[in-house]
Amino acid sequence: MIWTASSLRERSQRGSWQRRQRTASLRAAATQGGAGMWQEVLPNAWESILSRIRSFEYSQKNAVLVPAAALGVGGMLVCWLMSRRKIKTLEMGDGWWGSGEKPLKEKEDERIRPFQIETSDKEIQDLHHRLDQARYTPPLEGAAFHYGFNSNYLQKVVAYWRNQFDWRKQVEILNKYPHFQTTIEGINIHFIHVKPSYIPHGQTVYPLLMVHGWPGSFYEFYKIIPLLTEPDKHSLSEGDVVFEVICPSIPGYGFSEAPHQKGFDTIAAARIFHKLMSRLGFKEYYIQGGDWGAQITTNMAQMLPQSVKGLHLNVVFINEWGLGRMISVMLGAYVPWLVGLTREDVRRVYPFLQKNIYDLLRESGYLHIQATKPDTAGCGLNDSPVGLAAYILEKFSTWTDKSFLHKDDGGLESKYSLDELLTNVMIYWVTSSIVSSMRFYKENFSKDPDLTAAWRVNIYVPTGIAAFPQEIAHTPRIWAKKNFKNIVTYSYMPRGGHFAAFEEPRLLAQDIRHFVRKVEQL
């Protein structure tokens, strides 16, 4: 478009006239008073202010809600990722413990074979001859059991063994439960398998593997088995928890064949017992142990947690001593609540040096021999039934009650009968298994001197711990939680020591049943 001079003058005159009109209107409004104008302006201004306030409040809420929502979503994401994280386990691996090289093509015989303990006149006559030829060294006056097994009392034990102990009768007692053997990784594994004699309709029967230690045997469980398989017959009123019990002999102990190759440790034993339970047709089962049995069953829980419904222990040995544990020990004697210790923990742990250093050193001399040169000491024990009895039964004295150290008879017959004690000794004697049982220490400690390697894998299966007051060492719950991440029950037992099933079968049975009941309710 082309602008001309006349059109520009006309446009300028129109703009001036419009400006004069707007000015006149404003003056007219002013002459009518300011009220009208404020009636229009104020509501608009107030509305603007309220709008800004609401906007500010909304932004403030956002400042709180948005981070909270982000935190919640983030937490859910972390939980989801944690739930999907694979739990670290011990590698199961495989092994061969038979004589010579493992056959490459030959399939292992997986049959379960019935087994029966037998004896003979020749075996008993040889025992009596050796007992008759025993020599004794007189004890020091007032020595009691401070120097080991008191030889005066030992002579009384041997006299009973020679003249009153009936091994044939004890063999019948041993055979009252069904015995079996099966070949796993080249060696014959012995076990007993006891089922309830009657199962009511709808009753669940839980498989329970129980593992002994040294110098015990499967015989330790003979008094507890009926309490677990037939609780109603033994005044254990809650019949809702019933078990079938499997008690194997650790390879190299009793009637389980000894490994022929070096290196058989608790992890190998754990693997073999998993294979045993699988061979018996169990996919899930409970496991229980003390002494070496506690280490083996713990390894089983670390190895195949999906197969272990629950782990029950009557001793927990934790050898890791970090800064946190040292602080706990130092503060625990003065402010136990600050480090998670109970009054009962304090009573059992302190004085710390006495109970955890001096007492352990006094009671662990055997361990140093067996962890280094087991065959040397084993030669004498395997040849002399009297030496074997002294070596084994001394542990059933001070490991049952530390105060028995001061008794001339070691307090042995206050908790056990001589028939019970000598039957356990005979299992080692007739099988010549003392040397191979001692080698188990060498195999474990030579690989892992402080037995801490396996503790790098935490235990997540439901765990029950029965803490007996006369156990060699006490592990408070707060310490055990470092490795056992799912402790369902922790019981301060009122009495008893290291050989819980042998000494206090009823107490242990009640605690196992209580634990399993809790797990089944989860």
Side-chain angles (χ1 to χ4, degrees):
M1 179 179 292
I2 300 172
W3 296 95
T4 64
S6 59
S7 65
L8 287 174
R9 280 196 302 270
E10 185 181 348
R11 182 179 180 83
S12 174
Q13 290 171 358
R14 269 201 313 270
S16 298
W17 180 81
Q18 288 173 349
R19 283 193 295 271
R20 287 195 297 269
Q21 286 291 102
R22 281 197 298 270
T23 303
S25 298
L26 287 173
R27 285 176 179 171
T31 58
Q32 292 175 3
M37 180 189 69
W38 289 111
Q39 284 177 355
E40 291 183 11
V41 172
L42 281 177
N44 293 335
W46 182 246
E47 213 33 63
S48 175
I49 292 170
L50 287 177
S51 175
R52 290 175 181 274
I53 291 173
R54 281 194 294 267
S55 176
F56 177 76
E57 289 177 347
Y58 182 74
S59 65
Q60 288 294 95
K61 288 180 181 178
N62 278 350
V64 175
L65 292 177
V66 171
L71 187 62
V73 172
M76 292 172 65
L77 181 62
V78 169
C79 291
W80 180 76
L81 290 173
M82 292 285 286
S83 68
R84 292 178 60 85
R85 186 185 63 179
K86 188 176 180 181
I87 294 175
K88 186 178 180 182
T89 60
L90 281 182
E91 184 178 348
M92 188 165 182
D94 203 358
W96 170 258
W97 310 105
S99 181
E101 296 291 328
K102 180 180 180 179
L104 296 177
K105 297 183 180 180
E106 185 178 337
K107 191 173 186 285
E108 191 163 73
D109 182 2
E110 296 185 356
R111 290 176 301 159
I112 305 294
R113 306 181 298 274
F115 176 80
Q116 194 167 35
I117 299 171
E118 298 176 348
T119 189
S120 65
D121 289 341
K122 181 180 179 182
E123 184 176 70
I124 295 172
Q125 289 169 3
D126 176 70
L127 170 68
H128 288 171
H129 173 72
R130 291 170 186 267
L131 293 177
D132 290 339
Q133 299 300 314
R135 299 187 302 172
Y136 303 91
T137 301
L140 296 173
E141 294 180 8
F145 263 55
H146 285 275
Y147 284 72
F149 205 105
N150 188 290
S151 59
N152 285 342
Y153 179 62
L154 180 60
Q155 291 181 65
K156 295 179 182 179
V157 172
V158 172
Y160 180 88
W161 197 359
R162 173 65 176 84
N163 302 310
Q164 294 176 261
F165 179 76
D166 188 345
W167 175 233
R168 290 187 184 277
K169 178 183 175 182
Q170 296 307 118
V171 167
E172 291 179 7
I173 292 173
L174 290 175
N175 282 327
K176 75 176 182 177
Y177 294 133
H179 291 249
F180 303 91
Q181 281 189 335
T182 189
T183 304
I184 303 177
E185 297 187 9
I187 53 177
N188 292 324
I189 305 301
H190 162 262
F191 62 98
I192 57 175
H193 187 178
V194 186
K195 301 178 181 180
S197 59
Y198 170 72
I199 304 173
H201 178 71
Q203 174 72 64
T204 300
V205 178
Y206 302 103
L208 173 65
L209 178 84
M210 304 187 77
V211 186
H212 65 87
W214 188 92
S217 64
F218 66 92
Y219 179 61
E220 286 181 65
F221 302 115
Y222 266 52
K223 289 185 283 187
I224 196 174
I225 286 173
L227 305 180
L228 297 170
T229 57
E230 300 180 315
D232 289 337
K233 292 184 179 180
H234 299 276
S235 302
L236 292 172
S237 56
E238 304 92 344
D240 57 318
V241 178
V242 179
F243 300 93
E244 58 177 296
V245 180
I246 301 92
C247 300
S249 295
I250 300 170
Y253 288 68
F255 298 99
S256 278
E257 186 178 353
H260 298 270
Q261 312 293 331
K262 294 188 294 182
F264 187 88
D265 57 10
T266 59
I267 294 175
R271 181 179 62 246
I272 281 179
F273 291 160
H274 270 309
K275 290 182 178 181
L276 171 63
M277 295 301 280
S278 175
R279 193 169 292 184
L280 292 173
F282 299 116
K283 293 182 179 179
E284 289 185 314
Y285 34 89
Y286 288 92
I287 53 180
Q288 200 282 333
D291 195 84
W292 278 125
Q295 186 71 23
I296 292 169
T297 51
T298 297
N299 291 157
M300 291 179 72
Q302 294 167 313
M303 187 177 289
L304 289 179
Q306 67 273 22
S307 295
V308 178
K309 293 192 72 176
L311 166 67
H312 187 278
L313 306 171
N314 55 273
V315 62
V316 176
F317 292 119
I318 297 179
N319 299 321
E320 291 183 286
W321 284 92
L323 179 61
R325 181 69 54 78
M326 294 175 67
I327 292 173
S328 178
V329 168
M330 288 188 290
L331 295 179
Y334 306 100
V335 282
W337 50 268
L338 189 62
V339 290
L341 298 181
T342 67
R343 290 182 179 180
E344 185 62 21
D345 290 329
V346 172
R347 192 181 71 80
R348 296 186 184 191
V349 169
Y350 299 95
F352 185 81
L353 289 178
Q354 178 63 49
K355 292 186 176 182
N356 296 272
I357 305 297
Y358 303 142
D359 287 355
L360 284 179
L361 284 174
R362 184 191 66 222
E363 294 301 326
S364 61
Y366 79 97
L367 186 150
H368 299 283
I369 294 172
Q370 295 177 191
T372 53
K373 304 291 180 65
D375 286 27
T376 302
C379 288
L381 301 177
N382 195 47
D383 189 61
S384 168
V386 174
L388 180 66
Y391 195 69
I392 288 178
L393 296 185
E394 185 256 323
K395 306 306 177 195
F396 282 87
S397 169
T398 50
W399 291 5
T400 297
D401 191 316
K402 300 176 185 71
S403 68
F404 287 173
L405 195 70
H406 310 295
K407 296 179 177 288
D408 290 335
D409 63 356
L412 282 170
E413 293 178 72
S414 64
K415 292 288 185 138
Y416 316 100
S417 70
L418 284 179
D419 279 343
E420 290 171 344
L421 293 169
L422 289 171
T423 296
N424 184 64
V425 173
M426 285 294 290
I427 290 171
Y428 281 88
W429 176 254
V430 299
T431 58
S432 296
S433 60
I434 187 61
V435 175
S436 53
S437 73
M438 293 164 67
R439 286 174 183 162
F440 200 48
Y441 287 79
K442 171 76 170 178
E443 304 294 13
N444 281 284
F445 283 96
S446 60
K447 288 182 180 179
D448 184 18
D450 53 1
L451 296 183
T452 57
W455 293 115
R456 299 188 188 106
V457 178
N458 290 323
I459 300 92
Y460 290 92
V461 304
T463 302
I465 298 172
F468 285 84
Q470 289 296 328
E471 185 53 81
I472 300 169
H474 176 67
T475 300
R477 179 176 186 148
I478 191 69
W479 294 359
K481 283 172 65 176
K482 183 174 185 285
N483 298 103
F484 296 88
K485 300 300 185 180
N486 188 10
I487 298 177
V488 175
T489 63
Y490 183 100
S491 308
Y492 294 100
M493 308 305 283
R495 61 185 179 276
H498 189 66
F499 303 99
F502 203 36
E503 178 194 351
E504 295 288 350
R506 193 174 187 85
L507 282 180
L508 184 60
Q510 288 172 334
D511 198 71
I512 293 171
R513 287 161 50 78
H514 171 63
F515 164 66
V516 171
R517 194 176 294 112
K518 286 270 191 181
V519 174
E520 292 298 322
Q521 291 171 355
L522 293 177

